[in-house]
Amino acid sequence: MGLKESFGNTLKTFARIFPGISDYQDKESLRGQDKVVREHLADLLNKQVKSLDELKIRLIEAKKIELLGKLELTTKKISKLSDMIKHSSYGYSPIFASDAVDQKKLKKIYEYDISLAGEIRKL
């Protein structure tokens, strides 16, 4: 382990000695994980949009335009969902906020976000 990593680990350990810091670090970790999951979900949805766009091109080339309206509506809904997931708030109060964070609820939200990946793949 390099000097930089060693110093970082020492600093993290030292910071956990102070009251409230470890809770903040745990929340920050969950927040970071939630962000990664949400970005992944948005990417999965965007791949579905690209697939639909390719299908629309094939339908136009085959001169079968009767489904284009429904496909366009579906594409817009999936894009909107992707944006909502990617840009939604990350679900916890800052360290000095008066509202307490319910770690169990935050974990349930995180697990729900993960479960959405399976639903997206079904598309």
Side-chain angles (χ1 to χ4, degrees), residues 43-58:
D43 288 343
L44 288 175
L45 287 167
N46 288 332
K47 286 179 184 177
Q48 297 298 324
V49 168
K50 287 180 183 177
S51 293
L52 287 174
D53 287 340
E54 290 169 5
L55 176 60
K56 287 186 277 186
I57 290 169
R58 288 195 308 270

Side-chain angles (χ1 to χ4, degrees), residues 84-95:
M84 284 174 45
I85 289 172
K86 190 170 186 174
H87 300 294
S88 64
S89 60
Y90 290 73
Y92 85 95
S93 301
I95 191 168

Side-chain angles (χ1 to χ4, degrees), residues 21-48:
I21 297 296
S22 64
D23 287 342
Y24 175 76
Q25 288 175 333
D26 292 342
K27 289 179 231 172
E28 193 64 26
S29 175
L30 276 176
R31 182 176 188 244
Q33 291 171 359
D34 186 48
K35 180 180 180 184
V36 169
V37 168
R38 288 174 187 255
E39 287 175 349
H40 179 69
L41 292 173
D43 288 343
L44 288 175
L45 287 167
N46 288 332
K47 286 179 184 177
Q48 297 298 324

